Amino acid sequence: MSLLEVRNLKTYFYTDAGVGKAVDDISFTLDRGKTLGIVGESGCGKSVTSLSIMRLVDTTVGRYEGGEIIFDGRDILKLPEREMQKLRGDKLSMIFQEPMTSLNPVFTVGYQISESLMLHKGMDKKQAWQRSIELLEMVGIPEPARRVDEYPHQLSGGMRQRVMIAMALSGDPELLIADEPTTALDVTIQAQILALLKSLQEQLNMAIIIITHDLGVIAEMADEVAVMYAGDIVEMAPTRELFSDPKHPYTIGLMNSIPDIEENAERLRTLEGLVPSLYDMPAGCRFAPRCQFACEQCSKSRIGLTALGGGRQVRCRRFEQ
């Protein structure tokens, strides 16, 4: 049985501008010890998908309008909030995009890690403090016994990201969601963070969802990739197959936009047109207004994902059976 099954998930936002269909009927599964990469342009629904799994969507404007999120056999959308709080930070953990805004500036990093350990693991202060030092050492922070007493502003960006990983690992999670874990880090630190995540995954047999717009990170980390566009998953495939033979026109466009140092092109190749507004989606295929292969039927009605075999699925009328 898969650790995580997302079935027909719909997460909508109700604002003065209308109903924003940020995540609109997506489905995927993830097994223990595997990594799923979710990739797409900004605003495509990647982060809302992760927040939906953690059940952290702001319910004053956001609603789960349909679907199921089955984690370890339980639909977390139906769990009471108290049960959900026990899961978060314990079996379900998340690394947020910007550690400087996710860490509390007025508490030491040791205090913030210890707080999670006392809450989820029932440790006393002394045990939690010692475990905090061990976790900082595990994620490769030098002199952890000294760093545990420092505040977030005293640490570099790479170290703050490692602290976030230590906090996420404090509950021995079965699933770790990493939302843009290498944003704003230089390439050397980025490589170190990705290597650290892979090493910890092997040690703990932990499943990972990594959310990014960086295709290089996806190639390095993911076993399978879900490509999102305007709230839809438009293609799913094993990583090697996706990079060697992308099927959906949007995926092809993403791949073509990667600069090639062997090409002498004067201009970078881009995707023409604009992403549709979440509040005014096309009636048919959401990529049709930008697609070179679009036909008249594409603009009239949507289609589901078509299975191509070998774990590949694509939402495109060219492959409809």
Side-chain angles (χ1 to χ4, degrees), residues 120-260:
H120 293 291
K121 294 299 181 185
M123 296 182 180
D124 60 31
K125 285 186 178 180
K126 185 176 180 180
Q127 291 172 324
W129 195 258
Q130 184 57 43
R131 180 58 178 159
S132 297
I133 295 172
E134 293 171 2
L135 285 166
L136 291 180
E137 184 175 19
M138 183 189 295
V139 298
I141 290 183
E143 300 181 85
R146 178 170 70 86
R147 298 292 186 183
V148 77
D149 285 311
E150 293 186 343
Y151 292 86
H153 72 272
Q154 295 176 281
L155 304 176
S156 67
M159 282 194 182
R160 287 195 294 267
Q161 194 64 283
R162 289 171 188 265
V163 170
M164 289 295 296
I165 294 171
M167 290 179 67
L169 296 176
S170 63
D172 301 320
E174 295 177 12
L175 172 61
L176 175 67
I177 300 173
D179 189 359
E180 301 280 7
T182 56
T183 296
L185 300 178
D186 66 55
V187 290
T188 304
I189 301 301
Q190 180 183 95
Q192 292 174 3
I193 294 296
L194 295 179
L196 172 62
L197 286 174
K198 290 178 77 171
S199 173
L200 293 170
Q201 180 180 36
E202 291 173 4
Q203 292 177 41
L204 303 173
N205 193 33
M206 177 175 62
I208 295 177
I209 295 176
I210 189 159
I211 294 166
T212 182
H213 60 271
D214 188 332
L215 290 168
V217 172
I218 292 293
E220 176 75 18
M221 289 290 297
D223 299 299
E224 189 175 20
V225 187
V227 181
M228 289 194 72
Y229 181 80
D232 274 341
I233 290 177
V234 295
E235 185 167 0
M236 286 201 70
T239 305
R240 185 183 296 272
E241 282 78 357
L242 185 90
F243 277 81
S244 64
D245 186 22
K247 298 294 188 185
H248 195 278
Y250 176 62
T251 313
I252 294 169
L254 288 180
M255 297 298 181
N256 287 340
S257 68
I258 301 172
D260 188 339

